[in-house]
Amino acid sequence: MAEPMYRRIAQELRERIESGILNPGEQLPTEVELVETYGASRNTIRDAVKWLATRGLVESRPGQGTFVTQRFEPFVTTLSADETGLGGSEGEGAYREIRERGRTPSWSQPRVEVQNAPRYIAERLRIPQGTPVITRRQERYIDKQPWSLQVTAYPMDLFTQGATDLMMAKDIPDGAVSYLARTLDLEEVGHRDRILVRPPSEEEAWFFRLPDDGRISVVSLVRTGYRDLGSGPEPFRATFTTFPADRNQFVINSGSVPRALAEPAVDQHFDGSQTSSVRETS
Amino acid sequence: MAEPMYRRIAQELRERIESGILNPGEQLPTEVELVETYGASRNTIRDAVKWLATRGLVESRPGQGTFVTQRFEPFVTTLSADETGLGGSEGEGAYREIRERGRTPSWSQPRVEVQNAPRYIAERLRIPQGTPVITRRQERYIDKQPWSLQVTAYPMDLFTQGATDLMMAKDIPDGAVSYLARTLDLEEVGHRDRILVRPPSEEEAWFFRLPDDGRISVVSLVRTGYRDLGSGPEPFRATFTTFPADRNQFVINSGSVPRALAEPAVDQHFDGSQTSSVRETS
DNA sequence: GCAAATTTGTTCGTATGTATT
DNA sequence: CAATACATACGAACAAATTTG
């Protein structure tokens, strides 16, 4: 009796899902059917289903029913560019990687804005909060599915000094970094990537069609690009890219590694091998 | 009337939390108090509180009350080792980074096991599933708080060929990679990191004290190390490290970047600037 | 295009159990 | 042991979304 009834029901449904009796996309019995099957009240059945829904095992749709959640096939992005410029998560290298993997990239026209740097930009560019910066924002798709949201922030200086295309709401085909190299003789001597995981913003949840309970996080990739004016590396751009965490993986190569593009890893927990006994979710 | 009552109540409580009227760790009014405040039934109040709990804003404790969730200060791990070997997420480099940041690392004695390679190991080492491998497993702490779980798998060959310490349940002070270099003249010519985000296993949820609803994911870092026997890079070890996603960030340096260790980034969404109107969570 | 049937969503009331102080 | 606070469970009614006839 330690286990409450709604949990026992949830467990049993869970086993039916994990053993493959109920396949992804399939409909669960309706609430009324479950009431009859388990001899519990409808509220208790609903508690059980909600327990499963919270854990992402099922999704309920009003007027239709409750369905086993569909998993996405993960997409792999290589953060380190190789000698040929393949990968790197940005610009043409990223799109080439997608094509190399047999899929089709597409992207929106950039939206350009001058805004007063909020904290997360100011910190990266080492400027006071509120300083005007140019931001270029783009939605990126794979096979027409929303894949990532990208925003890059540049100090206004770069525009003043002649990089006028930064303010144009059109693609820079060879990438903004090489445009800046061409135009201002500005060389990116290095960059630093930060990776963090956080709940989606409303905009992100909407764009990626994530459930509105924040259960699925986004991976936020922040790349700061540095130039050197003689006194050490100084940031001149910050790129913020977000990816839904449930269908993206990232790869970083270092030194000599196999030539082939990395395949998705099995997205699977490595539990305590044979050590752990049948410990159930308590 | 479009918005159900429990959502309006949840919204109002949420605003009280986000505006700082209710601070992290503080207790919410009890259910009975909320019943009086909002003139709703206790079940409706509970629905509102559950809505907040699902999103990780509050946590309920039986017999005590409901409290605003405490956030952790993020810890930053540098995945790319610098010239001095600082960082790199493994072995002494990782512990040096922790000390450099003014915190204290500790770790468990490794647990060594010979097990039949499950799929996620077999795929990395490119061996058939079920082949025996040596696994070394370690818990790692920062300031006594659980920080990460690490498992490294090696092919049995390495042991057979003389790397007998791999099977000893004691620390290899300078790291297993340099031990293998010393003993077998095995050079790691490169490695590939994979980063993915997934719900915690039961063991992980327990070790990291994560809520049991799987709301907080773990970041899984998979590093495959390669050697070269003349026919291109071949994997000889696979290290799986998991970190709770809500309190860890990762940094990868490339080229010339500032010397100082990277500080945590503001873990904050960049919403559609001024574009988005007052769209509420629907 | 509409009405009926189906299915989940919201809300109330009530009673009892369990954990903590 | 008593008081407090959240957890579980039942029953009932009506609302809202969707599909079907």
PDB file of all heavy atoms in Angstrom, chain C residues 9-21:
ATOM      1  P    DG C   9      -6.425  17.082 -21.148  1.00  0.00           P
ATOM      2  OP1  DG C   9      -5.221  17.784 -21.607  1.00  0.00           O
ATOM      3  OP2  DG C   9      -6.352  16.144 -20.010  1.00  0.00           O
ATOM      4  O5'  DG C   9      -7.555  18.158 -20.833  1.00  0.00           O
ATOM      5  C5'  DG C   9      -7.649  19.334 -21.641  1.00  0.00           C
ATOM      6  C4'  DG C   9      -8.407  20.432 -20.898  1.00  0.00           C
ATOM      7  O4'  DG C   9      -9.778  20.000 -20.689  1.00  0.00           O
ATOM      8  C3'  DG C   9      -7.855  20.748 -19.509  1.00  0.00           C
ATOM      9  O3'  DG C   9      -7.837  22.169 -19.342  1.00  0.00           O
ATOM     10  C2'  DG C   9      -8.809  20.074 -18.555  1.00  0.00           C
ATOM     11  C1'  DG C   9     -10.127  20.151 -19.332  1.00  0.00           C
ATOM     12  N9   DG C   9     -11.073  19.076 -19.009  1.00  0.00           N
ATOM     13  C8   DG C   9     -10.863  17.727 -19.105  1.00  0.00           C
ATOM     14  N7   DG C   9     -11.904  17.013 -18.749  1.00  0.00           N
ATOM     15  C5   DG C   9     -12.857  17.960 -18.389  1.00  0.00           C
ATOM     16  C6   DG C   9     -14.189  17.781 -17.915  1.00  0.00           C
ATOM     17  O6   DG C   9     -14.799  16.731 -17.711  1.00  0.00           O
ATOM     18  N1   DG C   9     -14.805  19.008 -17.683  1.00  0.00           N
ATOM     19  C2   DG C   9     -14.225  20.240 -17.878  1.00  0.00           C
ATOM     20  N2   DG C   9     -14.966  21.301 -17.589  1.00  0.00           N
ATOM     21  N3   DG C   9     -12.979  20.412 -18.321  1.00  0.00           N
ATOM     22  C4   DG C   9     -12.363  19.232 -18.554  1.00  0.00           C
ATOM     23  P    DT C  10      -7.262  22.808 -18.023  1.00  0.00           P
ATOM     24  OP1  DT C  10      -6.696  24.116 -18.381  1.00  0.00           O
ATOM     25  OP2  DT C  10      -6.432  21.810 -17.323  1.00  0.00           O
ATOM     26  O5'  DT C  10      -8.583  23.071 -17.165  1.00  0.00           O
ATOM     27  C5'  DT C  10      -9.498  24.052 -17.630  1.00  0.00           C
ATOM     28  C4'  DT C  10     -10.648  24.182 -16.668  1.00  0.00           C
ATOM     29  O4'  DT C  10     -11.384  22.941 -16.593  1.00  0.00           O
ATOM     30  C3'  DT C  10     -10.260  24.530 -15.217  1.00  0.00           C
ATOM     31  O3'  DT C  10     -10.991  25.695 -14.864  1.00  0.00           O
ATOM     32  C2'  DT C  10     -10.681  23.305 -14.409  1.00  0.00           C
ATOM     33  C1'  DT C  10     -11.815  22.755 -15.268  1.00  0.00           C
ATOM     34  N1   DT C  10     -12.123  21.302 -15.130  1.00  0.00           N
ATOM     35  C2   DT C  10     -13.389  20.927 -14.771  1.00  0.00           C
ATOM     36  O2   DT C  10     -14.280  21.730 -14.549  1.00  0.00           O
ATOM     37  N3   DT C  10     -13.580  19.578 -14.672  1.00  0.00           N
ATOM     38  C4   DT C  10     -12.645  18.581 -14.900  1.00  0.00           C
ATOM     39  O4   DT C  10     -12.944  17.391 -14.787  1.00  0.00           O
ATOM     40  C5   DT C  10     -11.343  19.029 -15.283  1.00  0.00           C
ATOM     41  C7   DT C  10     -10.257  18.050 -15.564  1.00  0.00           C
ATOM     42  C6   DT C  10     -11.131  20.364 -15.382  1.00  0.00           C
ATOM     43  P    DT C  11     -10.601  26.531 -13.559  1.00  0.00           P
ATOM     44  OP1  DT C  11     -10.968  27.934 -13.810  1.00  0.00           O
ATOM     45  OP2  DT C  11      -9.232  26.155 -13.162  1.00  0.00           O
ATOM     46  O5'  DT C  11     -11.579  25.947 -12.465  1.00  0.00           O
ATOM     47  C5'  DT C  11     -12.971  26.213 -12.565  1.00  0.00           C
ATOM     48  C4'  DT C  11     -13.710  25.370 -11.570  1.00  0.00           C
ATOM     49  O4'  DT C  11     -13.667  23.984 -11.980  1.00  0.00           O
ATOM     50  C3'  DT C  11     -13.113  25.355 -10.152  1.00  0.00           C
ATOM     51  O3'  DT C  11     -13.793  26.313  -9.355  1.00  0.00           O
ATOM     52  C2'  DT C  11     -13.328  23.917  -9.676  1.00  0.00           C
ATOM     53  C1'  DT C  11     -14.021  23.246 -10.841  1.00  0.00           C
ATOM     54  N1   DT C  11     -13.637  21.826 -11.061  1.00  0.00           N
ATOM     55  C2   DT C  11     -14.604  20.856 -10.942  1.00  0.00           C
ATOM     56  O2   DT C  11     -15.753  21.111 -10.675  1.00  0.00           O
ATOM     57  N3   DT C  11     -14.158  19.571 -11.124  1.00  0.00           N
ATOM     58  C4   DT C  11     -12.867  19.168 -11.419  1.00  0.00           C
ATOM     59  O4   DT C  11     -12.598  17.978 -11.562  1.00  0.00           O
ATOM     60  C5   DT C  11     -11.895  20.236 -11.543  1.00  0.00           C
ATOM     61  C7   DT C  11     -10.476  19.921 -11.858  1.00  0.00           C
ATOM     62  C6   DT C  11     -12.327  21.505 -11.357  1.00  0.00           C
ATOM     63  P    DC C  12     -13.442  26.525  -7.823  1.00  0.00           P
ATOM     64  OP1  DC C  12     -13.849  27.904  -7.486  1.00  0.00           O
ATOM     65  OP2  DC C  12     -12.069  26.081  -7.542  1.00  0.00           O
ATOM     66  O5'  DC C  12     -14.433  25.528  -7.092  1.00  0.00           O
ATOM     67  C5'  DC C  12     -15.833  25.719  -7.244  1.00  0.00           C
ATOM     68  C4'  DC C  12     -16.581  24.486  -6.836  1.00  0.00           C
ATOM     69  O4'  DC C  12     -16.109  23.382  -7.636  1.00  0.00           O
ATOM     70  C3'  DC C  12     -16.311  24.037  -5.397  1.00  0.00           C
ATOM     71  O3'  DC C  12     -17.257  24.625  -4.514  1.00  0.00           O
ATOM     72  C2'  DC C  12     -16.487  22.522  -5.472  1.00  0.00           C
ATOM     73  C1'  DC C  12     -16.426  22.186  -6.941  1.00  0.00           C
ATOM     74  N1   DC C  12     -15.387  21.162  -7.246  1.00  0.00           N
ATOM     75  C2   DC C  12     -15.775  19.829  -7.335  1.00  0.00           C
ATOM     76  O2   DC C  12     -16.962  19.540  -7.148  1.00  0.00           O
ATOM     77  N3   DC C  12     -14.835  18.881  -7.591  1.00  0.00           N
ATOM     78  C4   DC C  12     -13.561  19.233  -7.774  1.00  0.00           C
ATOM     79  N4   DC C  12     -12.683  18.269  -8.032  1.00  0.00           N
ATOM     80  C5   DC C  12     -13.141  20.599  -7.697  1.00  0.00           C
ATOM     81  C6   DC C  12     -14.080  21.521  -7.431  1.00  0.00           C
ATOM     82  P    DG C  13     -16.984  24.619  -2.943  1.00  0.00           P
ATOM     83  OP1  DG C  13     -17.859  25.655  -2.352  1.00  0.00           O
ATOM     84  OP2  DG C  13     -15.516  24.645  -2.730  1.00  0.00           O
ATOM     85  O5'  DG C  13     -17.465  23.165  -2.474  1.00  0.00           O
ATOM     86  C5'  DG C  13     -18.652  22.586  -2.994  1.00  0.00           C
ATOM     87  C4'  DG C  13     -18.761  21.167  -2.475  1.00  0.00           C
ATOM     88  O4'  DG C  13     -17.974  20.300  -3.331  1.00  0.00           O
ATOM     89  C3'  DG C  13     -18.198  21.003  -1.059  1.00  0.00           C
ATOM     90  O3'  DG C  13     -19.172  20.405  -0.202  1.00  0.00           O
ATOM     91  C2'  DG C  13     -16.991  20.101  -1.222  1.00  0.00           C
ATOM     92  C1'  DG C  13     -17.271  19.377  -2.529  1.00  0.00           C
ATOM     93  N9   DG C  13     -16.013  19.021  -3.199  1.00  0.00           N
ATOM     94  C8   DG C  13     -15.007  19.865  -3.608  1.00  0.00           C
ATOM     95  N7   DG C  13     -13.987  19.258  -4.159  1.00  0.00           N
ATOM     96  C5   DG C  13     -14.334  17.915  -4.109  1.00  0.00           C
ATOM     97  C6   DG C  13     -13.630  16.776  -4.547  1.00  0.00           C
ATOM     98  O6   DG C  13     -12.507  16.717  -5.081  1.00  0.00           O
ATOM     99  N1   DG C  13     -14.334  15.606  -4.304  1.00  0.00           N
ATOM    100  C2   DG C  13     -15.594  15.549  -3.723  1.00  0.00           C
ATOM    101  N2   DG C  13     -16.111  14.327  -3.575  1.00  0.00           N
ATOM    102  N3   DG C  13     -16.265  16.605  -3.314  1.00  0.00           N
ATOM    103  C4   DG C  13     -15.583  17.760  -3.526  1.00  0.00           C
ATOM    104  P    DT C  14     -18.909  20.311   1.377  1.00  0.00           P
ATOM    105  OP1  DT C  14     -20.241  20.352   2.002  1.00  0.00           O
ATOM    106  OP2  DT C  14     -17.850  21.272   1.756  1.00  0.00           O
ATOM    107  O5'  DT C  14     -18.288  18.851   1.542  1.00  0.00           O
ATOM    108  C5'  DT C  14     -18.841  17.751   0.832  1.00  0.00           C
ATOM    109  C4'  DT C  14     -17.987  16.527   1.068  1.00  0.00           C
ATOM    110  O4'  DT C  14     -16.884  16.502   0.110  1.00  0.00           O
ATOM    111  C3'  DT C  14     -17.335  16.473   2.450  1.00  0.00           C
ATOM    112  O3'  DT C  14     -17.784  15.321   3.133  1.00  0.00           O
ATOM    113  C2'  DT C  14     -15.839  16.422   2.176  1.00  0.00           C
ATOM    114  C1'  DT C  14     -15.775  15.929   0.742  1.00  0.00           C
ATOM    115  N1   DT C  14     -14.552  16.344  -0.002  1.00  0.00           N
ATOM    116  C2   DT C  14     -13.777  15.372  -0.595  1.00  0.00           C
ATOM    117  O2   DT C  14     -14.043  14.192  -0.550  1.00  0.00           O
ATOM    118  N3   DT C  14     -12.664  15.842  -1.237  1.00  0.00           N
ATOM    119  C4   DT C  14     -12.263  17.169  -1.342  1.00  0.00           C
ATOM    120  O4   DT C  14     -11.239  17.468  -1.952  1.00  0.00           O
ATOM    121  C5   DT C  14     -13.122  18.125  -0.705  1.00  0.00           C
ATOM    122  C7   DT C  14     -12.777  19.580  -0.760  1.00  0.00           C
ATOM    123  C6   DT C  14     -14.221  17.676  -0.063  1.00  0.00           C
ATOM    124  P    DA C  15     -17.452  15.102   4.716  1.00  0.00           P
ATOM    125  OP1  DA C  15     -18.705  14.611   5.315  1.00  0.00           O
ATOM    126  OP2  DA C  15     -16.782  16.299   5.259  1.00  0.00           O
ATOM    127  O5'  DA C  15     -16.405  13.909   4.660  1.00  0.00           O
ATOM    128  C5'  DA C  15     -16.601  12.837   3.746  1.00  0.00           C
ATOM    129  C4'  DA C  15     -15.320  12.023   3.665  1.00  0.00           C
ATOM    130  O4'  DA C  15     -14.395  12.672   2.747  1.00  0.00           O
ATOM    131  C3'  DA C  15     -14.589  11.906   5.008  1.00  0.00           C
ATOM    132  O3'  DA C  15     -14.445  10.528   5.327  1.00  0.00           O
ATOM    133  C2'  DA C  15     -13.254  12.611   4.786  1.00  0.00           C
ATOM    134  C1'  DA C  15     -13.091  12.551   3.268  1.00  0.00           C
ATOM    135  N9   DA C  15     -12.283  13.641   2.723  1.00  0.00           N
ATOM    136  C8   DA C  15     -12.458  14.990   2.897  1.00  0.00           C
ATOM    137  N7   DA C  15     -11.565  15.735   2.288  1.00  0.00           N
ATOM    138  C5   DA C  15     -10.746  14.815   1.663  1.00  0.00           C
ATOM    139  C6   DA C  15      -9.603  14.961   0.840  1.00  0.00           C
ATOM    140  N6   DA C  15      -9.087  16.140   0.516  1.00  0.00           N
ATOM    141  N1   DA C  15      -9.021  13.829   0.370  1.00  0.00           N
ATOM    142  C2   DA C  15      -9.557  12.643   0.711  1.00  0.00           C
ATOM    143  N3   DA C  15     -10.624  12.380   1.464  1.00  0.00           N
ATOM    144  C4   DA C  15     -11.178  13.520   1.910  1.00  0.00           C
ATOM    145  P    DT C  16     -13.857  10.074   6.732  1.00  0.00           P
ATOM    146  OP1  DT C  16     -14.582   8.852   7.107  1.00  0.00           O
ATOM    147  OP2  DT C  16     -13.812  11.247   7.638  1.00  0.00           O
ATOM    148  O5'  DT C  16     -12.365   9.677   6.337  1.00  0.00           O
ATOM    149  C5'  DT C  16     -12.161   8.853   5.193  1.00  0.00           C
ATOM    150  C4'  DT C  16     -10.699   8.845   4.837  1.00  0.00           C
ATOM    151  O4'  DT C  16     -10.312  10.123   4.261  1.00  0.00           O
ATOM    152  C3'  DT C  16      -9.748   8.634   6.031  1.00  0.00           C
ATOM    153  O3'  DT C  16      -8.903   7.546   5.734  1.00  0.00           O
ATOM    154  C2'  DT C  16      -8.996   9.953   6.153  1.00  0.00           C
ATOM    155  C1'  DT C  16      -9.018  10.425   4.700  1.00  0.00           C
ATOM    156  N1   DT C  16      -8.758  11.872   4.506  1.00  0.00           N
ATOM    157  C2   DT C  16      -7.770  12.245   3.633  1.00  0.00           C
ATOM    158  O2   DT C  16      -7.099  11.459   3.005  1.00  0.00           O
ATOM    159  N3   DT C  16      -7.594  13.603   3.512  1.00  0.00           N
ATOM    160  C4   DT C  16      -8.292  14.595   4.163  1.00  0.00           C
ATOM    161  O4   DT C  16      -8.037  15.790   3.978  1.00  0.00           O
ATOM    162  C5   DT C  16      -9.318  14.141   5.072  1.00  0.00           C
ATOM    163  C7   DT C  16     -10.136  15.141   5.848  1.00  0.00           C
ATOM    164  C6   DT C  16      -9.500  12.816   5.196  1.00  0.00           C
ATOM    165  P    DG C  17      -7.826   6.999   6.763  1.00  0.00           P
ATOM    166  OP1  DG C  17      -8.030   5.547   6.828  1.00  0.00           O
ATOM    167  OP2  DG C  17      -7.879   7.826   7.998  1.00  0.00           O
ATOM    168  O5'  DG C  17      -6.440   7.281   6.031  1.00  0.00           O
ATOM    169  C5'  DG C  17      -6.303   6.955   4.654  1.00  0.00           C
ATOM    170  C4'  DG C  17      -4.949   7.447   4.150  1.00  0.00           C
ATOM    171  O4'  DG C  17      -5.005   8.890   3.972  1.00  0.00           O
ATOM    172  C3'  DG C  17      -3.787   7.176   5.111  1.00  0.00           C
ATOM    173  O3'  DG C  17      -2.675   6.723   4.365  1.00  0.00           O
ATOM    174  C2'  DG C  17      -3.523   8.533   5.754  1.00  0.00           C
ATOM    175  C1'  DG C  17      -3.899   9.488   4.632  1.00  0.00           C
ATOM    176  N9   DG C  17      -4.324  10.818   5.061  1.00  0.00           N
ATOM    177  C8   DG C  17      -5.394  11.130   5.874  1.00  0.00           C
ATOM    178  N7   DG C  17      -5.532  12.416   6.071  1.00  0.00           N
ATOM    179  C5   DG C  17      -4.483  12.984   5.346  1.00  0.00           C
ATOM    180  C6   DG C  17      -4.124  14.340   5.183  1.00  0.00           C
ATOM    181  O6   DG C  17      -4.669  15.347   5.656  1.00  0.00           O
ATOM    182  N1   DG C  17      -3.004  14.483   4.365  1.00  0.00           N
ATOM    183  C2   DG C  17      -2.330  13.438   3.787  1.00  0.00           C
ATOM    184  N2   DG C  17      -1.278  13.759   3.050  1.00  0.00           N
ATOM    185  N3   DG C  17      -2.650  12.166   3.925  1.00  0.00           N
ATOM    186  C4   DG C  17      -3.739  12.016   4.723  1.00  0.00           C
ATOM    187  P    DT C  18      -1.341   6.195   5.120  1.00  0.00           P
ATOM    188  OP1  DT C  18      -0.793   5.118   4.274  1.00  0.00           O
ATOM    189  OP2  DT C  18      -1.658   5.983   6.551  1.00  0.00           O
ATOM    190  O5'  DT C  18      -0.371   7.454   5.018  1.00  0.00           O
ATOM    191  C5'  DT C  18      -0.061   7.996   3.738  1.00  0.00           C
ATOM    192  C4'  DT C  18       0.936   9.124   3.911  1.00  0.00           C
ATOM    193  O4'  DT C  18       0.253  10.307   4.397  1.00  0.00           O
ATOM    194  C3'  DT C  18       2.051   8.830   4.920  1.00  0.00           C
ATOM    195  O3'  DT C  18       3.252   9.339   4.374  1.00  0.00           O
ATOM    196  C2'  DT C  18       1.621   9.606   6.148  1.00  0.00           C
ATOM    197  C1'  DT C  18       0.964  10.816   5.498  1.00  0.00           C
ATOM    198  N1   DT C  18      -0.020  11.581   6.313  1.00  0.00           N
ATOM    199  C2   DT C  18       0.016  12.957   6.261  1.00  0.00           C
ATOM    200  O2   DT C  18       0.805  13.574   5.596  1.00  0.00           O
ATOM    201  N3   DT C  18      -0.933  13.581   7.035  1.00  0.00           N
ATOM    202  C4   DT C  18      -1.877  12.975   7.842  1.00  0.00           C
ATOM    203  O4   DT C  18      -2.670  13.643   8.495  1.00  0.00           O
ATOM    204  C5   DT C  18      -1.858  11.536   7.850  1.00  0.00           C
ATOM    205  C7   DT C  18      -2.851  10.780   8.696  1.00  0.00           C
ATOM    206  C6   DT C  18      -0.934  10.910   7.089  1.00  0.00           C
ATOM    207  P    DA C  19       4.677   8.926   4.980  1.00  0.00           P
ATOM    208  OP1  DA C  19       5.425   8.232   3.913  1.00  0.00           O
ATOM    209  OP2  DA C  19       4.493   8.304   6.320  1.00  0.00           O
ATOM    210  O5'  DA C  19       5.340  10.350   5.212  1.00  0.00           O
ATOM    211  C5'  DA C  19       5.311  11.309   4.165  1.00  0.00           C
ATOM    212  C4'  DA C  19       5.655  12.669   4.741  1.00  0.00           C
ATOM    213  O4'  DA C  19       4.504  13.190   5.447  1.00  0.00           O
ATOM    214  C3'  DA C  19       6.800  12.647   5.751  1.00  0.00           C
ATOM    215  O3'  DA C  19       7.723  13.656   5.372  1.00  0.00           O
ATOM    216  C2'  DA C  19       6.142  12.915   7.103  1.00  0.00           C
ATOM    217  C1'  DA C  19       4.906  13.719   6.696  1.00  0.00           C
ATOM    218  N9   DA C  19       3.750  13.576   7.589  1.00  0.00           N
ATOM    219  C8   DA C  19       3.161  12.423   8.021  1.00  0.00           C
ATOM    220  N7   DA C  19       2.132  12.607   8.804  1.00  0.00           N
ATOM    221  C5   DA C  19       2.026  13.991   8.904  1.00  0.00           C
ATOM    222  C6   DA C  19       1.128  14.832   9.593  1.00  0.00           C
ATOM    223  N6   DA C  19       0.128  14.382  10.347  1.00  0.00           N
ATOM    224  N1   DA C  19       1.305  16.172   9.474  1.00  0.00           N
ATOM    225  C2   DA C  19       2.321  16.622   8.713  1.00  0.00           C
ATOM    226  N3   DA C  19       3.223  15.925   8.024  1.00  0.00           N
ATOM    227  C4   DA C  19       3.020  14.608   8.154  1.00  0.00           C
ATOM    228  P    DT C  20       9.092  13.834   6.166  1.00  0.00           P
ATOM    229  OP1  DT C  20      10.077  14.288   5.171  1.00  0.00           O
ATOM    230  OP2  DT C  20       9.339  12.643   6.999  1.00  0.00           O
ATOM    231  O5'  DT C  20       8.762  15.056   7.124  1.00  0.00           O
ATOM    232  C5'  DT C  20       8.276  16.266   6.538  1.00  0.00           C
ATOM    233  C4'  DT C  20       7.950  17.266   7.620  1.00  0.00           C
ATOM    234  O4'  DT C  20       6.737  16.872   8.299  1.00  0.00           O
ATOM    235  C3'  DT C  20       9.027  17.402   8.705  1.00  0.00           C
ATOM    236  O3'  DT C  20       9.460  18.748   8.694  1.00  0.00           O
ATOM    237  C2'  DT C  20       8.317  17.005  10.008  1.00  0.00           C
ATOM    238  C1'  DT C  20       6.847  17.230   9.655  1.00  0.00           C
ATOM    239  N1   DT C  20       5.861  16.370  10.362  1.00  0.00           N
ATOM    240  C2   DT C  20       4.807  16.979  11.023  1.00  0.00           C
ATOM    241  O2   DT C  20       4.648  18.180  11.067  1.00  0.00           O
ATOM    242  N3   DT C  20       3.938  16.104  11.633  1.00  0.00           N
ATOM    243  C4   DT C  20       4.006  14.723  11.644  1.00  0.00           C
ATOM    244  O4   DT C  20       3.166  14.054  12.224  1.00  0.00           O
ATOM    245  C5   DT C  20       5.134  14.156  10.943  1.00  0.00           C
ATOM    246  C7   DT C  20       5.307  12.666  10.904  1.00  0.00           C
ATOM    247  C6   DT C  20       6.002  14.998  10.337  1.00  0.00           C
ATOM    248  P    DT C  21      10.599  19.260   9.677  1.00  0.00           P
ATOM    249  OP1  DT C  21      11.345  20.306   8.965  1.00  0.00           O
ATOM    250  OP2  DT C  21      11.294  18.095  10.252  1.00  0.00           O
ATOM    251  O5'  DT C  21       9.747  19.954  10.832  1.00  0.00           O
ATOM    252  C5'  DT C  21       8.779  20.951  10.475  1.00  0.00           C
ATOM    253  C4'  DT C  21       8.011  21.391  11.709  1.00  0.00           C
ATOM    254  O4'  DT C  21       7.083  20.344  12.107  1.00  0.00           O
ATOM    255  C3'  DT C  21       8.881  21.684  12.942  1.00  0.00           C
ATOM    256  O3'  DT C  21       8.450  22.913  13.513  1.00  0.00           O
ATOM    257  C2'  DT C  21       8.591  20.514  13.879  1.00  0.00           C
ATOM    258  C1'  DT C  21       7.154  20.180  13.511  1.00  0.00           C
ATOM    259  N1   DT C  21       6.739  18.779  13.801  1.00  0.00           N
ATOM    260  C2   DT C  21       5.506  18.561  14.381  1.00  0.00           C
ATOM    261  O2   DT C  21       4.732  19.447  14.671  1.00  0.00           O
ATOM    262  N3   DT C  21       5.207  17.229  14.599  1.00  0.00           N
ATOM    263  C4   DT C  21       6.008  16.135  14.323  1.00  0.00           C
ATOM    264  O4   DT C  21       5.631  15.000  14.572  1.00  0.00           O
ATOM    265  C5   DT C  21       7.277  16.443  13.719  1.00  0.00           C
ATOM    266  C7   DT C  21       8.200  15.326  13.377  1.00  0.00           C
ATOM    267  C6   DT C  21       7.586  17.740  13.483  1.00  0.00           C
TER     268       DT C  21
END
